[in-house]
Amino acid sequence: MREYDHIGIPTTATRPGEVHLPAFGIHVSGYETSEFGVEWMRFDADSPLPELVRTVPHVAFRVDDLDAAIAGRPVLIAPNRPSPGVRVAFVVENGAPIEFMEYDAPAPEEL
C-alpha cells in the first residue's frame, strides 16, 4: 500500500514552530498543522543531506514495507529513523526526490 503523507518544500526562511533535527542539519515545520501535509524544511549550512533534497520539493508516501518500496530504485537517502516510530528512505524518480515512510505498528495498548 502507498498513501500520500506530505510534501516537503525547501525554504531559507525561519518559520514558527520549527523543530531541529541536528543529525540531519534540518529544521522542519508545518507538517503537524497543515491540512494538506505541507512541511517546510530549512537546512543548516553543514547539513549532510543531498543537494537534491535541499533544493527540490519532495512528495512523501506512507508504505507498509519500506524495504519493498525502495527495492530496485535508486536510493538517495538510505533507510533511517529521523524520529521515534518512523523509518524513512528517499529515492530518485525522474530527477525528483521521493520519500517513503514506514510507521511502526502501534502497541496493542495503543489500539
Side-chain angles (χ1 to χ4, degrees):
M1 180 184 100
R2 186 179 335 168
E3 177 183 326
Y4 172 80
D5 188 79
H6 70 271
I7 183 169
I9 303 173
T11 184
T12 57
T14 302
R15 300 184 57 90
E18 287 182 335
V19 173
H20 188 227
L21 303 175
F24 300 99
I26 185 173
H27 303 256
V28 295
S29 62
Y31 176 76
E32 293 84 12
T33 59
S34 173
E35 176 183 358
F36 302 104
V38 176
E39 172 189 58
W40 294 97
M41 308 176 319
R42 184 172 61 85
F43 298 90
D44 296 340
D46 61 350
S47 172
L49 294 176
E51 181 178 357
L52 189 63
V53 171
R54 290 183 281 129
T55 58
V56 176
H58 72 270
V59 177
F61 296 94
R62 291 178 183 222
V63 296
D64 294 330
D65 184 342
L66 181 65
D67 297 318
I70 67 172
R73 300 180 186 277
V75 174
L76 183 63
I77 299 176
N80 65 84
R81 290 190 173 274
S83 56
V86 64
R87 188 169 160 246
V88 306
F90 279 75
V91 300
V92 178
E93 171 65 26
N94 290 326
I98 304 294
E99 181 180 16
F100 292 119
M101 308 174 72
E102 177 187 272
Y103 287 89
D104 293 344
E109 61 273 7
E110 295 174 350
L111 295 177

